[in-house]
Amino acid sequence: MGDNPELRRILEGLQAGERTLDETLQRLRLFQIAQVGEFARLDTNRDLRKGVPEVLYAPGKTDDELESIVRRYLDERGYALVTRLHPERAVSLRAALQEAKNDEGAAGRRVSYQANARVFVAYSPEYRLPPECGRVGLLTAGTSDIPVAEEAALVMVHMGCRVERGYDTGVAGLHRLAEPLTRMVETGAAVLVVVAGMEGALASVVAGLVDIPVIGVPVSTGYGLGGDGTAALYSMLQSCSPGLVTVNIDNGVGAGVAAALIARGTATGRGPCPGRSQ
């Protein structure tokens, strides 16, 4: 490995007493990159630097590339999160990761796959989820919106949040919203994620009822003109309900990250999160 001038300056600063050990560790987190073949440069310390796990987007990667990247994350961080993975590819990836031949880490490796959300998760035997810190409410307008919602949930759980779910609560039967929304507010959710296709009205309705931030996720479920998620996106962007912010179409991961950061920040304000320095 070639000499990195900035890395050298950081270490020389520690040696000279110009910065503390904690300050040096914080700076070093910026430099952790794992090269995988000629096709990937992995930000393996993203969760340490930002508190946000890396999420692997499966489309566009070959099976061999995806397997190599997942294996490297398992070695480096003890977990790997994969989204938009088709079921047949999930079967192949599971078999490859749990094949014991020439792979000492295969024993005890845990693998799960949610077919409806196309979400694949692999853990090394010693991996444990982060301590719970923060609560998020997760609502969908319809059952067809659940796959994107579960992408958001995947990220939030791996950022240490408890997720309260309330699915199929859309405006076509608005009375269905009362129970899950009340439960989320009463249990102390710091932020709500609302996933909705069609006209996307649920996000505006919810934002008009609560005193916490609402993150709208427009989804590409619907008919004809605007059914690709654009109608829901425009509706959420033009909402007159204050406190509603919106991510892009089908961006469950982005919504999950933003919601978890809000929830954890709120929880930290009430006291230290387990395992987090102040």
Side-chain angles (χ1 to χ4, degrees):
M1 179 182 294
D3 190 15
N4 185 309
E6 179 61 21
L7 182 58
R8 176 177 289 275
R9 281 193 292 271
I10 292 172
L11 295 176
E12 287 175 345
L14 174 64
Q15 186 179 45
E18 297 172 357
R19 59 173 56 92
T20 67
L21 177 60
D22 286 342
E23 290 170 339
T24 302
L25 289 172
Q26 181 64 34
R27 295 289 298 275
L28 289 176
R29 287 172 181 150
L30 300 173
F31 288 88
Q32 187 67 26
I33 296 173
Q35 184 74 39
V36 179
E38 298 296 324
F39 52 83
R41 290 168 57 84
L42 308 183
D43 185 8
T44 55
N45 268 7
R46 182 176 299 177
D47 54 347
L48 298 179
R49 188 179 71 253
K50 288 177 56 65
V52 176
E54 174 67 285
V55 180
L56 306 175
Y57 182 73
K61 296 179 177 67
T62 68
D63 289 347
D64 287 343
E65 288 170 347
L66 185 60
E67 180 188 340
S68 296
I69 293 171
V70 167
R71 286 184 180 277
R72 187 58 179 269
Y73 268 108
L74 286 170
D75 291 341
E76 296 279 347
R77 307 301 304 152
Y79 71 92
L81 314 179
V82 184
T83 63
R84 309 295 169 94
L85 186 66
H86 286 290
E88 60 272 16
R89 297 189 70 191
V91 171
S92 299
L93 183 57
R94 179 194 293 268
L97 293 176
Q98 295 185 324
E99 171 59 55
K101 184 179 180 181
N102 299 323
D103 184 358
E104 295 179 358
R109 187 174 286 157
R110 294 168 288 152
V111 175
S112 66
Y113 179 66
Q114 290 179 249
N116 67 327
R118 294 182 294 163
V119 167
F120 183 97
V121 184
Y123 303 115
S124 62
E126 65 277 6
Y127 178 80
R128 298 294 181 270
L129 288 172
E132 184 179 300
C133 184
R135 293 173 181 257
V136 179
L138 179 60
L139 295 161
T140 72
T143 303
S144 298
D145 305 323
I146 292 176
V148 174
E150 283 300 312
E151 281 192 358
L154 172 77
V155 176
M156 293 187 289
V157 168
H158 285 84
M159 290 178 67
C161 291
R162 174 177 291 186
V163 180
E164 290 280 348
R165 292 169 172 83
Y167 290 163
D168 197 24
T169 64
V171 297
L174 196 55
H175 55 291
R176 299 175 295 176
L177 177 63
E179 184 278 324
L181 185 59
T182 300
R183 167 168 42 88
M184 291 169 187
V185 172
E186 289 181 346
T187 55
V191 57
L192 301 177
V193 176
V194 180
V195 184
M198 299 290 188
E199 81 299 323
L202 182 64
S204 291
V205 170
V206 171
L209 295 173
V210 297
D211 62 351
I212 54 178
V214 176
I215 300 174
V217 187
V219 178
S220 54
T221 54
Y223 302 103
L225 182 64
D228 58 355
T230 53
L233 175 63
Y234 292 157
S235 174
M236 293 181 191
L237 289 175
Q238 288 288 358
S239 175
C240 65
S241 292
L244 171 64
V245 295
T246 305
V247 298
N248 211 341
I249 297 168
D250 292 337
N251 188 8
V253 170
V257 168
L261 290 173
I262 293 170
R264 293 197 325 188
T266 302
T268 303
R270 294 196 296 264
C273 287
R276 297 187 68 196
S277 60
Q278 300 303 301

